[in-house]
Amino acid sequence: MKSQWIFTSLIPQIPSCFSSILSPFKTPKLYQFPSSNLPKLVLNHLDLSLLLSLSGKQGFFLLGSSIHASFVKNPENLYPIEDFKDSNNAIVVWNSLLGMYSRCGTLTDLTKLFDEMPIRDTISWNTMVSGFLRNGKFDEGFSYFKQMRKSGICWFDQATLTTILSACDRVEFYHVVKMMHGLVFSNGYEKEISVGNSLITSYFRCGCLSSGRQVFAEMFERNVITWTAMISGLVQNELYEKSLELFNQMRSGPVCPNSLTYLSSLMACSGLQALTGGRQIHSLLWKLGIQSEVCIESSLMDMYSKCGQVTDAWKIFESAQDLDEVSMTVILMGLAQNGFEEEAKRFFMKMFESGIEIDPNMLSAVLGVFSEDTSLSLEESAKVFSRMSQRNSISWNSMIAAFARHGDGCRALQLYEEMRSDGIAPTDVTFLSLLHACSHVGLVEKGMELLKSMTDVYGIIPRAEHYACVVDMLGRAGLLNEAKTFMQGLPLKADVLVWQALLGTCSIRGDSKIGKYAANQLILETPESPVPYVSMANIYSSRGKWKERARTIKRMKEIGVSKEIGISWIETEKKVHSFVVQDRMHPQAELMYGILEELLKLMLEEGYVPGNVTPTECQT
């Protein structure tokens, strides 16, 4: 293997930004050979490794593949001889080439190169594992890990462990995390801080809090990443008080929090609506001089908004030097959730009209806030959506759900077809909205077709929510017997959602027979709920079956189930006033009952016969 390589055609492809990075090594040299007018670049194995690594990180695929092409033309350059030093030099370049394809090439290119490598080490195998896991190919990534262990030549290291653990971010990977934890102990990596940190993070992401806490308690040494992983893990699982307790414990020790630690603590304050704690953390950030970091400012705005202090959130927003999509989404949500819907609407439209790029997550947030508010018409949202340069499944799902909620099922289905044409794969959320749309416009055949395509075309396993939508769809179409048969053939046990859907459609159709069947099943699932009793009482009332209604109400009282008190409310001047039956707690109660009495007199004059009802018995 050569110790140096001479390149000519490569020089024009090297970006100017790389020259300052390569120059400190002093090894790369440009020579002007007498026989040629072209300058030639001389690189050693370290220079090549650095150039390939930077090509991968910066996305310069053409440069990296050009280097690879030069090796293909001169294969002796990368095939080691018996000399140990040459072998080491070769593997360094091979691994850098492999890393470049892993970052900016295709998995096919990566696999082909790996198969062609004359020598491999642990780094080679780690690159294959991480390349496939990073692209969501979990089975293939774990397969390379198994092959690595079976090879008997290379052995995994702590980088292998942390790479695999970082990919285990869902509950279904819990058993993989447990297996990796076992390998950590059996191979002596239990004292490695990076491995312990990865275990804590993975356990919390998989929802196994006790195991994450145990790892933290048993660690021989803890750094700032350890503490931050633990605090953020507790926050992600909504254990806000525990996370703040740990944050205070960390501050009293030798390890200082970093920006990510403070971010997690601010999220905990937001979750608890702990204004005092949030202000204290804000003061600490001022003392440290990091309060102006973009992510910190966004978290502060979110905390103040969640605590009802929109004015403080707005002050931070106005004083911010740099704003991103997250910052604008946070302040938008803060305005809307604190009763400033009109201000939020104007803010959003001003952003749109001024040409600011609308992020998919921002559109989703806006549609979520204004889903029930006719003041932001769907047409304005559709205009924003149509002009978005980037659309992902979140933005598509948001628009489909919005039209489905507003009863425009045909438009929701049309958007679904456009989404597929745009190359965006639907998710389980997409199908939930589509089934809801089909239910409310009576498209039974289309709904059943969509349910089938979930598994047959996209490999998505329906959840109870999907089945409940189908039951509702069949019931609303008057196909109650078909809905019952559908439920009996489900691959999973029908839960409360599904039984409620069946009972709800029986209420719409006034079917007391199937309604009673559904109510009995619902009572078994939720014996303390008044829903089945009240629903059946209403069904009997709609059919004039007063004796059956009386027996149902009597049964409900006998077993001690109470009906929730109905509440009415009205919003005036951004303030909500709520009332219950015979409510006299409102400060203006006497005035309101006086008005009711006057209204009753007017009604009597018009010929209304109220029976035995008096003004004081009127329900507000």
Coordinates of all heavy atoms in Angstrom, one line a residue, residues 298-365:
S298 N -36.8 30.2 24.0 CA -38.1 29.5 23.6 C -38.7 28.8 24.8 O -39.9 28.8 25.1 CB -37.8 28.4 22.5 OG -37.4 29.1 21.3
S299 N -37.8 28.1 25.6 CA -38.3 27.4 26.8 C -38.8 28.4 27.9 O -39.8 28.1 28.6 CB -37.2 26.6 27.4 OG -36.8 25.5 26.6
L300 N -38.2 29.6 28.0 CA -38.7 30.6 28.9 C -40.0 31.1 28.5 O -40.9 31.3 29.3 CB -37.6 31.7 29.0 CG -36.4 31.5 29.8 CD1 -35.4 32.6 29.6 CD2 -36.7 31.4 31.3
M301 N -40.2 31.4 27.2 CA -41.5 31.8 26.7 C -42.6 30.8 26.9 O -43.7 31.1 27.3 CB -41.4 32.1 25.2 CG -40.7 33.4 24.9 SD -40.8 33.9 23.1 CE -39.6 32.8 22.4
D302 N -42.2 29.5 26.7 CA -43.2 28.5 27.0 C -43.6 28.4 28.4 O -44.7 28.2 28.8 CB -42.6 27.1 26.5 CG -43.5 26.0 26.7 OD1 -44.6 26.0 26.0 OD2 -43.3 25.1 27.5
M303 N -42.6 28.5 29.3 CA -42.8 28.4 30.8 C -43.7 29.6 31.2 O -44.7 29.3 31.9 CB -41.5 28.5 31.5 CG -41.6 28.4 33.0 SD -41.9 30.0 33.9 CE -40.4 30.8 33.5
Y304 N -43.4 30.8 30.8 CA -44.3 31.9 31.2 C -45.7 31.8 30.6 O -46.7 32.2 31.3 CB -43.6 33.2 30.8 CG -42.5 33.7 31.7 CD1 -41.2 33.8 31.2 CD2 -42.7 33.9 33.0 CE1 -40.1 34.2 32.0 CE2 -41.7 34.3 33.9 CZ -40.4 34.4 33.4 OH -39.4 34.8 34.2
S305 N -45.8 31.3 29.4 CA -47.1 31.2 28.7 C -47.9 30.1 29.5 O -49.1 30.3 29.7 CB -46.9 30.8 27.3 OG -46.3 31.8 26.5
K306 N -47.3 29.0 29.8 CA -48.0 28.0 30.5 C -48.4 28.4 31.9 O -49.4 27.9 32.5 CB -47.1 26.7 30.7 CG -46.8 26.0 29.3 CD -47.9 25.2 28.8 CE -47.6 24.6 27.5 NZ -46.4 23.7 27.4
C307 N -47.7 29.3 32.5 CA -48.0 29.9 33.8 C -49.0 31.1 33.7 O -49.2 31.7 34.7 CB -46.8 30.3 34.6 SG -45.7 28.9 35.0
G308 N -49.4 31.4 32.5 CA -50.4 32.5 32.3 C -49.8 33.9 32.3 O -50.5 34.9 32.3
Q309 N -48.5 33.9 32.2 CA -47.8 35.2 32.2 C -47.4 35.6 30.7 O -46.2 35.6 30.4 CB -46.6 35.2 33.1 CG -46.9 34.8 34.5 CD -47.8 35.8 35.2 OE1 -47.5 37.0 35.1 NE2 -48.8 35.3 35.8
V310 N -48.4 35.8 29.9 CA -48.1 36.1 28.5 C -47.3 37.4 28.3 O -46.5 37.4 27.4 CB -49.4 36.2 27.7 CG1 -49.1 36.3 26.2 CG2 -50.3 35.0 28.0
T311 N -47.5 38.3 29.1 CA -46.7 39.6 29.0 C -45.2 39.3 29.1 O -44.4 39.9 28.4 CB -47.2 40.6 30.1 OG1 -48.6 40.8 30.0 CG2 -46.4 41.9 29.9
D312 N -44.8 38.5 30.1 CA -43.4 38.2 30.3 C -42.9 37.4 29.1 O -41.8 37.6 28.6 CB -43.2 37.4 31.6 CG -43.4 38.2 32.8 OD1 -43.2 39.4 32.8 OD2 -43.9 37.6 33.8
A313 N -43.7 36.5 28.6 CA -43.3 35.7 27.4 C -43.1 36.7 26.2 O -42.1 36.5 25.4 CB -44.4 34.7 27.1
W314 N -44.0 37.6 26.0 CA -43.9 38.6 24.9 C -42.7 39.5 25.0 O -42.1 39.8 24.0 CB -45.2 39.4 24.8 CG -45.2 40.3 23.6 CD1 -45.0 41.6 23.6 CD2 -45.5 39.8 22.3 NE1 -45.1 42.0 22.3 CE2 -45.4 41.0 21.4 CE3 -45.8 38.6 21.7 CZ2 -45.6 40.9 20.1 CZ3 -46.0 38.6 20.3 CH2 -45.9 39.7 19.5
K315 N -42.3 39.9 26.2 CA -41.1 40.7 26.4 C -39.9 39.9 25.9 O -39.0 40.5 25.3 CB -41.0 41.0 27.9 CG -42.0 42.1 28.4 CD -41.8 42.4 29.9 CE -42.8 43.4 30.4 NZ -42.6 43.6 31.9
I316 N -39.8 38.6 26.3 CA -38.7 37.8 25.8 C -38.7 37.7 24.3 O -37.6 37.8 23.7 CB -38.7 36.4 26.5 CG1 -38.6 36.5 28.0 CG2 -37.6 35.5 25.9 CD1 -38.8 35.2 28.7
F317 N -39.9 37.5 23.7 CA -40.0 37.4 22.3 C -39.5 38.7 21.6 O -38.8 38.6 20.6 CB -41.4 37.1 21.9 CG -41.7 37.0 20.4 CD1 -41.3 35.8 19.8 CD2 -42.2 38.0 19.7 CE1 -41.5 35.7 18.4 CE2 -42.4 37.9 18.4 CZ -42.1 36.7 17.7
E318 N -39.9 39.8 22.1 CA -39.6 41.1 21.5 C -38.1 41.4 21.6 O -37.5 42.1 20.7 CB -40.4 42.2 22.1 CG -41.8 42.3 21.6 CD -42.6 43.5 22.0 OE1 -42.4 44.0 23.2 OE2 -43.3 44.1 21.2
S319 N -37.5 41.0 22.7 CA -36.1 41.3 23.0 C -35.1 40.3 22.3 O -33.9 40.5 22.3 CB -35.8 41.4 24.5 OG -36.0 40.1 25.1
A320 N -35.7 39.2 21.8 CA -34.8 38.2 21.2 C -34.1 38.6 20.0 O -34.7 39.3 19.1 CB -35.7 36.9 20.9
Q321 N -32.8 38.3 19.9 CA -32.0 38.7 18.7 C -32.2 37.8 17.6 O -32.2 38.2 16.4 CB -30.5 38.8 19.1 CG -30.2 39.9 20.2 CD -28.7 39.9 20.6 OE1 -28.0 39.1 20.1 NE2 -28.4 40.9 21.4
D322 N -32.3 36.5 17.9 CA -32.5 35.5 16.9 C -33.8 34.7 17.2 O -34.1 34.3 18.3 CB -31.4 34.5 16.9 CG -30.1 35.1 16.5 OD1 -30.0 35.8 15.5 OD2 -29.1 35.0 17.3
L323 N -34.6 34.5 16.2 CA -35.9 33.8 16.3 C -35.9 32.7 15.3 O -35.5 32.8 14.1 CB -37.1 34.7 16.0 CG -37.3 35.9 17.1 CD1 -38.4 36.8 16.6 CD2 -37.7 35.3 18.4
D324 N -36.4 31.5 15.7 CA -36.6 30.4 14.8 C -38.1 30.0 14.8 O -38.9 30.6 15.4 CB -35.7 29.3 15.1 CG -35.9 28.7 16.6 OD1 -36.9 29.2 17.2 OD2 -35.2 27.9 17.0
E325 N -38.4 28.9 14.1 CA -39.7 28.4 14.0 C -40.3 28.0 15.3 O -41.5 28.2 15.6 CB -39.8 27.2 13.0 CG -39.6 27.5 11.6 CD -38.1 27.6 11.2 OE1 -37.3 27.4 12.2 OE2 -37.7 27.8 10.1
V326 N -39.4 27.5 16.2 CA -39.9 27.0 17.5 C -40.3 28.2 18.3 O -41.4 28.2 19.0 CB -38.7 26.3 18.3 CG1 -39.2 25.9 19.7 CG2 -38.4 25.0 17.5
S327 N -39.5 29.3 18.3 CA -39.8 30.5 19.1 C -41.2 31.1 18.7 O -42.0 31.4 19.5 CB -38.8 31.6 18.9 OG -37.5 31.1 19.2
M328 N -41.4 31.2 17.4 CA -42.7 31.7 16.9 C -43.9 30.8 17.2 O -45.0 31.3 17.4 CB -42.5 32.0 15.4 CG -41.6 33.2 15.1 SD -41.5 33.7 13.4 CE -40.4 32.4 12.7
T329 N -43.6 29.5 17.1 CA -44.7 28.6 17.4 C -45.1 28.7 18.9 O -46.3 28.7 19.3 CB -44.3 27.1 17.1 OG1 -44.0 27.0 15.7 CG2 -45.5 26.2 17.4
V330 N -44.1 28.8 19.8 CA -44.3 28.9 21.2 C -45.1 30.2 21.5 O -46.1 30.1 22.3 CB -43.0 28.9 22.0 CG1 -43.2 29.4 23.4 CG2 -42.3 27.6 21.9
I331 N -44.7 31.3 21.0 CA -45.5 32.6 21.3 C -46.9 32.6 20.7 O -47.8 33.1 21.3 CB -44.7 33.8 20.8 CG1 -45.2 35.1 21.6 CG2 -44.7 34.0 19.3 CD1 -45.0 35.1 23.1
L332 N -47.0 31.9 19.6 CA -48.3 31.8 18.9 C -49.3 31.0 19.8 O -50.4 31.4 20.1 CB -48.1 31.1 17.6 CG -49.4 31.0 16.7 CD1 -49.9 32.3 16.3 CD2 -49.1 30.2 15.5
M333 N -48.7 29.8 20.3 CA -49.5 29.0 21.2 C -49.8 29.7 22.5 O -50.9 29.6 23.1 CB -48.8 27.7 21.4 CG -48.6 26.8 20.2 SD -50.2 26.0 19.7 CE -50.4 24.9 21.0
G334 N -48.8 30.4 23.0 CA -49.0 31.1 24.2 C -50.1 32.2 24.2 O -50.9 32.3 25.1
L335 N -50.2 32.9 23.1 CA -51.3 33.9 22.9 C -52.6 33.2 22.8 O -53.6 33.6 23.5 CB -51.0 34.7 21.6 CG -49.9 35.7 21.6 CD1 -49.6 36.2 20.2 CD2 -50.2 36.8 22.5
A336 N -52.7 32.1 22.0 CA -54.0 31.5 21.8 C -54.5 30.8 23.1 O -55.7 30.8 23.4 CB -53.9 30.4 20.7
Q337 N -53.6 30.1 23.8 CA -54.0 29.4 25.0 C -54.3 30.2 26.2 O -54.9 29.7 27.2 CB -52.9 28.3 25.3 CG -52.8 27.2 24.3 CD -51.6 26.3 24.6 OE1 -50.7 26.6 25.4 NE2 -51.6 25.2 23.9
N338 N -54.0 31.5 26.1 CA -54.3 32.4 27.2 C -55.4 33.4 26.9 O -55.5 34.4 27.5 CB -53.0 33.1 27.6 CG -52.1 32.3 28.4 OD1 -52.2 32.1 29.6 ND2 -51.1 31.7 27.8
G339 N -56.2 33.0 25.9 CA -57.4 33.9 25.6 C -57.2 35.0 24.6 O -58.1 35.8 24.4
F340 N -56.0 35.0 24.0 CA -55.7 36.1 23.0 C -55.8 35.5 21.6 O -54.8 35.6 20.8 CB -54.3 36.7 23.3 CG -54.2 37.4 24.6 CD1 -53.7 36.7 25.7 CD2 -54.6 38.7 24.8 CE1 -53.6 37.3 27.0 CE2 -54.5 39.3 26.0 CZ -54.0 38.6 27.1
E341 N -56.9 34.9 21.3 CA -57.1 34.2 20.0 C -56.9 35.2 18.8 O -56.3 34.9 17.8 CB -58.4 33.5 19.9 CG -58.5 32.2 20.8 CD -59.0 32.5 22.2 OE1 -59.1 33.7 22.5 OE2 -59.1 31.6 23.0
E342 N -57.6 36.3 18.9 CA -57.5 37.3 17.9 C -56.1 37.8 17.6 O -55.7 37.9 16.5 CB -58.4 38.5 18.2 CG -59.9 38.2 18.0 CD -60.3 37.7 16.6 OE1 -59.8 38.3 15.6 OE2 -61.0 36.7 16.5
E343 N -55.4 38.0 18.7 CA -54.0 38.5 18.6 C -53.1 37.4 17.9 O -52.3 37.6 17.1 CB -53.4 38.8 20.0 CG -53.9 40.1 20.6 CD -55.3 39.9 21.3 OE1 -55.8 38.8 21.2 OE2 -55.8 40.9 21.9
A344 N -53.4 36.1 18.3 CA -52.7 35.0 17.8 C -53.0 34.9 16.3 O -52.1 34.6 15.5 CB -53.1 33.7 18.5
K345 N -54.2 35.1 15.9 CA -54.6 35.0 14.5 C -53.9 36.1 13.7 O -53.3 35.8 12.6 CB -56.1 35.1 14.4 CG -56.6 35.1 12.9 CD -58.0 35.5 12.8 CE -58.4 35.7 11.3 NZ -59.8 36.1 11.2
R346 N -53.9 37.3 14.2 CA -53.2 38.4 13.5 C -51.7 38.2 13.4 O -51.1 38.5 12.4 CB -53.5 39.7 14.2 CG -54.9 40.3 14.0 CD -55.1 41.7 14.4 NE -54.8 41.9 15.9 CZ -55.8 41.9 16.8 NH1 -57.0 41.7 16.4 NH2 -55.5 42.1 18.0
F347 N -51.2 37.6 14.5 CA -49.7 37.3 14.5 C -49.4 36.3 13.4 O -48.4 36.5 12.6 CB -49.3 36.8 15.9 CG -47.9 36.4 16.0 CD1 -46.9 37.4 16.1 CD2 -47.5 35.1 16.0 CE1 -45.6 37.0 16.2 CE2 -46.2 34.7 16.1 CZ -45.2 35.7 16.2
F348 N -50.2 35.3 13.3 CA -50.0 34.2 12.4 C -50.1 34.7 10.9 O -49.3 34.5 10.1 CB -50.9 33.1 12.6 CG -50.8 31.9 11.6 CD1 -49.7 31.1 11.6 CD2 -51.8 31.7 10.6 CE1 -49.6 30.1 10.7 CE2 -51.7 30.7 9.7 CZ -50.6 29.9 9.7
M349 N -51.2 35.5 10.7 CA -51.4 36.0 9.3 C -50.3 37.0 8.9 O -49.9 37.1 7.8 CB -52.8 36.6 9.2 CG -53.9 35.6 9.4 SD -53.8 34.2 8.3 CE -53.8 34.9 6.7
K350 N -49.8 37.8 9.9 CA -48.7 38.7 9.6 C -47.5 38.0 9.3 O -46.8 38.4 8.3 CB -48.5 39.6 10.9 CG -47.5 40.7 10.7 CD -47.4 41.6 11.9 CE -46.4 42.7 11.7 NZ -46.2 43.6 12.9
M351 N -47.2 36.9 9.9 CA -46.0 36.1 9.6 C -46.2 35.6 8.2 O -45.2 35.6 7.4 CB -45.9 34.9 10.5 CG -45.5 35.2 11.9 SD -45.7 33.8 13.0 CE -44.8 32.5 12.1
F352 N -47.4 35.1 7.9 CA -47.6 34.5 6.5 C -47.5 35.5 5.4 O -46.8 35.3 4.4 CB -49.0 33.8 6.5 CG -49.4 33.4 5.2 CD1 -48.7 32.4 4.5 CD2 -50.6 33.9 4.6 CE1 -49.1 32.0 3.2 CE2 -51.0 33.4 3.3 CZ -50.2 32.5 2.7
E353 N -48.1 36.7 5.6 CA -48.1 37.8 4.6 C -46.7 38.4 4.5 O -46.4 38.9 3.4 CB -49.1 38.8 5.0 CG -50.6 38.4 4.9 CD -51.5 39.3 5.6 OE1 -51.1 40.3 6.2 OE2 -52.7 39.0 5.6
S354 N -45.9 38.3 5.5 CA -44.5 38.9 5.4 C -43.5 38.0 4.7 O -42.4 38.3 4.6 CB -44.0 39.3 6.8 OG -43.9 38.2 7.6
G355 N -44.0 36.8 4.4 CA -43.2 35.8 3.7 C -42.3 34.9 4.5 O -41.4 34.2 4.0
I356 N -42.6 34.9 5.8 CA -41.9 34.0 6.7 C -42.3 32.6 6.4 O -43.4 32.2 6.3 CB -42.2 34.3 8.2 CG1 -41.6 35.7 8.6 CG2 -41.6 33.3 9.1 CD1 -41.9 36.2 9.9
E357 N -41.3 31.7 6.3 CA -41.5 30.3 6.0 C -42.3 29.7 7.2 O -42.0 29.7 8.3 CB -40.2 29.5 5.9 CG -40.3 28.1 5.5 CD -40.9 27.8 4.1 OE1 -40.7 28.7 3.3 OE2 -41.4 26.8 3.9
I358 N -43.5 29.1 6.8 CA -44.4 28.5 7.8 C -43.9 27.0 8.0 O -44.0 26.2 7.0 CB -45.8 28.5 7.4 CG1 -46.3 30.0 7.2 CG2 -46.7 27.8 8.4 CD1 -46.2 30.8 8.4
D359 N -43.5 26.7 9.1 CA -43.0 25.3 9.4 C -44.2 24.4 9.6 O -45.3 24.8 10.1 CB -42.2 25.4 10.8 CG -41.7 24.0 11.1 OD1 -40.7 23.6 10.6 OD2 -42.3 23.4 12.0
P360 N -44.1 23.1 9.2 CA -45.2 22.2 9.3 C -45.7 22.1 10.7 O -46.9 22.0 11.0 CB -44.6 20.8 8.8 CG -43.5 21.2 7.9 CD -43.0 22.5 8.4
N361 N -44.8 22.1 11.7 CA -45.2 22.0 13.1 C -46.0 23.2 13.5 O -46.9 23.1 14.4 CB -44.0 21.8 14.0 CG -43.3 20.5 13.8 OD1 -43.9 19.5 13.7 ND2 -42.0 20.6 13.6
M362 N -45.6 24.4 13.0 CA -46.4 25.6 13.3 C -47.8 25.6 12.8 O -48.7 25.9 13.5 CB -45.6 26.8 12.7 CG -46.1 28.2 13.1 SD -45.3 29.5 12.3 CE -43.6 29.2 12.8
L363 N -48.0 25.1 11.5 CA -49.3 24.9 11.0 C -50.1 24.0 11.8 O -51.3 24.2 12.1 CB -49.2 24.5 9.5 CG -50.5 24.3 8.8 CD1 -51.3 25.6 8.7 CD2 -50.3 23.7 7.4
S364 N -49.5 22.9 12.2 CA -50.2 21.9 13.0 C -50.7 22.5 14.3 O -51.8 22.3 14.8 CB -49.2 20.7 13.3 OG -49.8 19.8 14.2
A365 N -49.8 23.3 15.0 CA -50.1 24.0 16.2 C -51.3 24.9 16.0 O -52.2 25.0 16.9 CB -48.9 24.7 16.8

